[in-house]
Amino acid sequence: MRVLKFGGSSVAKPERIKGIVEILKGYYTKGEKFTVVFSAFGGVTDQLIKMSELAAKGKEEYLEVFKEFSCRHQKSITELLEGNLQEQVLEETMKNHEVLKNLLNGVFLVREASPRTMDYVLSFGERNSCFIISNVLRQSGINAAYLDARKIMKTDKTFGSAKVDFETSYSNIKKYYEEHPEVQVVTGFIATAKGGLTTTLGRGGSDYTASLLAAGLDAKHIEIWTDVSGVLTADPRKVKKAFTIPNMTYA
Ligand code: ASP
């Protein structure tokens, strides 16, 4: 078993998603067993934070940000999917966005977005990207299935940066994968605490989700795909002169 993970910038645009589909088709046709973890589309987690903060401040502009979020996902669906599948995915997604809109209206009314509410709001990012991509993979002929990680990843109630219950999560992972042989397309970053409450594993937590899956499945490989070639000397968003290190050894 191989676990692959693609971050937000790798799925920021429909063309990039098409590229990933080609990579995965390569594995699939070779008969490789793999599962794949995705982040929310690039920038979406920040957008979800922004809309919640605006709503909590009583600013109606949160609706504008929500609209951008919703349109972006609708556009991806129409660009990536065709026919009946496009219609079904659009319908499901619109229902999901209605839930988010109601939730934000709640935040707006009570003027409060607690860490617990925030985790639930943030979960819409990964749930949307993975649901859409799993269907794009199905359309391309891969026997893929959408897996909301909240079904298998269990944590405590430290909202915003929850601590994983390894024993329960590993046993859930093993059982779920034994019973579901399709290529599982898993939401990074999100989990659940007792009572079904949505939690998150901290910003950038999708790598962690992939690692947990790899450990739980005794995977041979974990591949964290990124869209910069090699390793840079620093974070290029902070250091303008950052460059790719030409040669590197594990040591
Ligand atoms: N979407 C989350 C974030 O932006 C998790 C991740 O991408 O790993 O932090």
Side-chain angles (χ1 to χ4, degrees):
M1 176 62 98
R2 199 183 275 265
V3 179
L4 296 99
K5 179 258 170 181
F6 294 89
S9 50
S10 302
V11 290
K13 294 203 175 97
E15 306 85 71
R16 313 213 59 178
I17 296 175
K18 286 182 192 163
I20 293 173
V21 172
E22 289 312 309
I23 294 172
L24 298 181
K25 260 170 50 186
Y27 285 113
Y28 191 69
T29 43
K30 270 194 253 155
E32 287 258 11
K33 270 195 97 180
F34 65 92
T35 184
V36 54
V37 176
F38 289 103
S39 295
F41 294 160
V44 160
T45 304
D46 289 334
Q47 212 174 24
L48 288 162
I49 293 174
K50 192 168 162 199
M51 54 184 109
S52 321
E53 284 176 352
L54 286 169
K57 282 185 193 146
K59 296 194 171 160
E60 277 180 13
E61 292 94 307
Y62 81 88
L63 282 168
E64 299 297 317
V65 190
F66 166 80
K67 242 184 238 157
E68 278 169 34
F69 162 94
S70 186
C71 289
R72 177 169 177 195
H73 288 88
Q74 286 175 56
K75 236 179 118 209
S76 306
I77 295 169
T78 46
E79 275 186 44
L80 291 164
L81 292 164
E82 285 160 16
N84 275 347
L85 196 59
Q86 184 193 93
E87 255 173 57
Q88 282 166 25
V89 173
L90 259 180
E91 202 184 304
E92 272 298 305
T93 304
M94 294 323 290
K95 268 195 232 158
N96 174 279
H97 290 186
E98 218 27 60
V99 177
L100 174 61
K101 198 173 175 193
N102 287 333
L103 182 62
L104 291 166
N105 185 41
V107 170
F108 178 76
L109 293 174
V110 298
R111 302 279 197 271
E112 186 196 20
S114 66
R116 173 169 154 173
T117 304
M118 285 305 292
D119 275 0
Y120 183 39
V121 170
L122 295 191
S123 75
F124 283 80
E126 269 71 9
R127 282 156 61 207
N128 271 275
S129 66
C130 289
F131 177 65
I132 296 169
I133 298 170
S134 66
N135 280 290
V136 180
L137 291 173
R138 280 156 57 95
Q139 178 176 262
S140 81
I142 297 178
N143 183 19
Y146 167 63
L147 171 54
D148 183 334
R150 295 178 304 171
K151 281 192 186 156
I152 50 173
M153 299 291 181
K154 299 294 157 186
T155 64
D156 67 1
K157 290 184 182 165
T158 317
F159 297 102
S161 185
K163 304 283 163 292
V164 174
D165 172 348
F166 295 104
E167 209 178 307
T168 314
S169 303
Y170 289 157
S171 119
N172 288 348
I173 292 168
K174 279 201 183 77
K175 189 156 182 277
Y176 195 90
Y177 277 76
E178 268 162 27
E179 291 168 359
H180 300 83
E182 308 92 348
V183 173
Q184 298 299 324
V185 179
V186 193
T187 54
F189 182 51
I190 63 173
T192 32
K194 279 214 175 75
L197 297 171
T198 301
T199 55
T200 59
L201 305 176
R203 291 304 305 269
S206 298
D207 286 2
Y208 191 27
T209 304
S211 312
L212 291 165
L213 278 176
L217 293 168
D218 255 327
K220 286 239 160 28
H221 302 273
I222 170 166
E223 293 177 10
I224 310 282
W225 285 71
T226 109
D227 50 353
V228 286
S229 39
V231 176
L232 289 165
T233 49
D235 182 342
R237 288 167 300 192
K238 295 186 181 139
V239 181
K240 280 224 172 68
K241 286 184 181 160
F243 62 91
T244 305
I245 299 170
N247 292 296
M248 231 181 160
T249 66
Y250 280 106

